[in-house]
Amino acid sequence: MFDSWRDYLEIIRWICSTAMGLMMLTFFYDVFLIICGIPENRQLDNISATYLPPKTRFAILISARDEESVIGRLVDNLQNLDYPKDLYQVFVIADNCQDRTAALARAAGAQVYERHDPSKATKGYALSWFFQRSLPGPLKNFDHCVIFDADNLVDPDFLKIMDRHVQAGSRLLVGFRDSSNPGANAIAGANALFWYFQSRFMHQARGRLGLSLTSVSGTGFSFDLDLIRDRGWHTQTLTEDVEFTMQMILQGVQGVYVRQAVFYDEQVTDFKQMMRQRLRWSVGTVQTLRLYGPALWRRALKMDWHLLDSFWFLARIPVMLVATIFYVIVLLIRLTDPSFVPRMLAFDLLGPILGYLATVALLAYLVKSEKRSLKTFSAGILAFPILGMLWGGIQVAALFYNNVSWQPIYHGQEVEVSSNFD
């Protein structure tokens, strides 16, 4: 029994303090990863730079839905990679297309598979359908599969560098995701910075710590076909990339970030499209947490830092929700405290302001460290912290809202992939 309301208040304070402590732990872990991501990974860089005669047979796969504006451009681009033509083949899944995607892909030289099943219109279903039909036949003579999105462009050396890491023993690899249109507007710039941030402060940091990547990021990744040759591709969520990564982690396969294998991604420029895209990603991550979180946690309890890191990557969304709720509770409690004065509230508001300025400074450093133009990214840098808060809110909303379906993203802008550099 509690003697007074003050006893209840103390319990609430203790719960709030614990939740905020967990949030601070998350913050310091992120800072630790940022610090670890600053230096280059010389071991992996040396592999990229060491010449080896090409050996790996690559199947390049593109899942495209109504992408007639860009599919021909990508297939043409892939046909001209600096890699022996007899060691790779381009495959396109024309998934529930109602335009000329299939015809244009064939005309450009790709081997096209047309799929029509509106009831299962996600990339995960398309990949499962394709591999079920192709692993016993067209793919049986290939070693690795590289997956791209239809709006990508690929550096000529991409396969050559990936091959060197495959020959060094890597089975799951992710290239460097650059952007073809970061100067289009603030939204495109902020999204481009999001991928730069992930590449350096998540992928590169984990690589230097000996940890696996926590997401293959949907495009520009390559995996050993023997990993799925017997079981096929089986993903159920809206983020098949994160789900596939967790499957590999649970199998003991460590993803590797290959900085020198560069490809270009066209960033969304429309606010509504961006929010729909982020909601779909967030819902898919929540779905992945529900499916794989328990297994990751059970094995993480055996003091496996790799699995604990992967679990924490997925669990950040509910942690964010709890911390936000209790942060609001703390503020409300303080407002009812007779000793509370307005300047204490001003002190609470100082944190977000300093956070904004620190984020802007970090992003400016990131752009310069990647040898990109600050002028090109200036609008994205200023918008990123604000959009980042919206993205965080979407992640929280995804815990309660899962009625999400695929929506088309406009592609086909004129791009110049070399304009991002100083």
Side-chain angles (χ1 to χ4, degrees):
M1 294 290 294
F2 295 101
D3 295 332
S4 66
W5 165 249
R6 188 170 296 275
D7 293 325
Y8 286 103
L9 195 59
E10 288 302 317
I11 294 295
I12 294 173
R13 288 179 190 271
W14 180 83
I15 295 174
C16 292
S17 298
T18 302
M20 294 306 296
L22 193 59
M23 193 64 180
M24 290 303 296
L25 180 63
T26 303
F27 170 76
F28 285 119
Y29 186 56
D30 288 344
V31 172
F32 172 67
L33 288 177
I34 288 172
I35 293 171
C36 291
I38 291 174
E40 303 294 337
N41 191 323
R42 293 184 179 180
Q43 180 181 3
L44 293 179
D45 291 350
N46 288 337
I47 294 174
S48 295
T50 302
Y51 172 78
L52 288 173
K55 178 180 177 182
T56 308
R57 295 164 297 180
F58 289 101
I60 301 178
L61 179 59
I62 308 155
S63 180
R65 182 174 179 184
D66 292 339
E67 297 283 11
E68 65 178 6
S69 62
V70 291
I71 191 65
R73 180 185 70 184
L74 174 58
V75 176
D76 285 339
N77 169 235
L78 293 171
Q79 300 288 13
N80 292 289
L81 299 182
D82 184 13
Y83 200 73
K85 298 299 183 288
D86 60 335
L87 291 182
Y88 76 96
Q89 170 68 45
V90 180
F91 298 85
V92 171
I93 309 170
D95 185 35
N96 290 289
C97 291
Q98 300 180 14
D99 63 0
R100 298 183 301 149
T101 295
L104 293 174
R106 283 196 187 95
Q111 187 168 329
V112 179
Y113 289 72
E114 295 189 60
R115 172 180 176 267
H116 299 282
D117 187 353
S119 66
K120 296 180 178 179
T122 67
K123 185 176 178 180
Y125 283 123
L127 294 177
S128 178
W129 176 89
F130 171 79
F131 285 119
Q132 182 181 7
R133 285 155 179 76
S134 302
L135 284 171
L139 296 185
K140 65 181 179 181
N141 294 321
F142 289 93
D143 304 309
H144 261 241
C145 180
V146 184
I147 293 183
F148 288 113
D149 286 341
D151 60 300
N152 294 158
L153 290 172
V154 183
D155 186 85
D157 291 337
F158 186 93
L159 290 184
K160 180 167 46 178
I161 293 172
M162 284 292 197
D163 167 70
R164 295 169 185 173
H165 287 267
V166 173
Q167 292 195 52
S170 296
R171 306 187 72 189
L172 178 63
L173 310 100
V174 178
F176 174 67
R177 186 174 190 154
D178 208 337
S179 296
S180 57
N181 62 331
N185 60 18
I187 292 173
N191 279 279
L193 288 167
F194 172 83
W195 297 116
Y196 284 178
F197 194 98
Q198 182 183 80
S199 293
R200 179 170 285 266
F201 299 133
M202 294 177 65
H203 291 348
Q204 185 160 291
R206 286 184 165 91
R208 295 190 67 248
L209 292 169
L211 299 171
S212 176
L213 307 185
T214 50
S215 172
V216 293
S217 303
T219 182
F221 68 97
S222 180
F223 62 92
D224 188 336
L225 279 167
D226 284 344
L227 293 171
I228 67 167
R229 206 173 293 278
D230 294 331
R231 61 183 292 274
W233 179 286
H234 297 287
T235 56
Q236 308 172 49
T237 69
L238 291 171
T239 48
E240 75 292 327
D241 53 335
V242 178
E243 183 178 354
F244 178 70
T245 308
M246 295 303 156
Q247 291 174 351
M248 294 299 100
I249 290 172
L250 288 168
Q251 291 182 36
V253 178
Q254 182 168 323
V256 174
Y257 168 55
V258 183
R259 171 65 179 85
Q260 289 74 21
V262 181
F263 67 100
Y264 300 87
D265 188 39
E266 186 179 320
Q267 303 305 322
V268 65
T269 57
D270 179 76
F271 180 80
K272 289 183 178 179
Q273 288 186 343
M274 178 195 70
M275 297 295 279
R276 286 200 302 263
Q277 187 181 62
R278 291 283 171 172
L279 179 59
R280 177 167 55 84
W281 293 349
S282 298
V283 169
T285 302
V286 172
Q287 293 171 340
T288 305
L289 172 62
R290 289 168 179 161
L291 284 173
Y292 298 94
L296 289 168
W297 178 247
R298 285 194 299 269
R299 292 174 59 175
L301 290 177
K302 298 178 182 179
M303 305 310 294
D304 188 324
W305 189 22
H306 294 73
L307 295 175
L308 181 60
D309 174 70
S310 300
F311 172 80
W312 193 244
F313 169 78
L314 294 176
R316 295 169 65 89
I317 296 177
V319 168
M320 184 185 303
L321 170 64
V322 172
T324 301
I325 290 173
F326 283 113
Y327 180 74
V328 172
I329 292 174
V330 168
L331 285 179
L332 293 175
I333 291 174
R334 294 180 68 179
L335 287 171
T336 63
D337 190 332
S339 63
F340 178 82
V341 292
R343 66 185 180 193
M344 295 178 67
L345 180 60
F347 181 79
D348 287 330
L349 296 177
L350 182 63
I353 295 173
L354 293 177
Y356 177 88
L357 295 176
T359 302
V360 166
L362 178 63
L363 293 172
Y365 163 79
L366 179 60
V367 169
K368 296 303 293 183
S369 68
E370 296 292 349
K371 298 181 174 59
R372 303 304 193 264
S373 167
L374 278 174
K375 181 179 179 181
T376 299
F377 284 88
S378 58
I381 290 174
L382 295 175
F384 185 95
I386 299 171
L387 292 178
M389 292 179 63
L390 292 177
W391 298 338
I394 289 173
Q395 289 182 320
V396 171
L399 291 167
F400 309 99
Y401 180 80
N402 58 14
N403 186 22
V404 178
S405 59
W406 180 86
Q407 296 289 333
I409 299 294
Y410 171 74
H411 293 306
Q413 302 178 53
E414 293 296 323
V415 296
E416 176 55 59
V417 297
S418 63
S419 65
N420 307 340
F421 295 85
D422 284 325

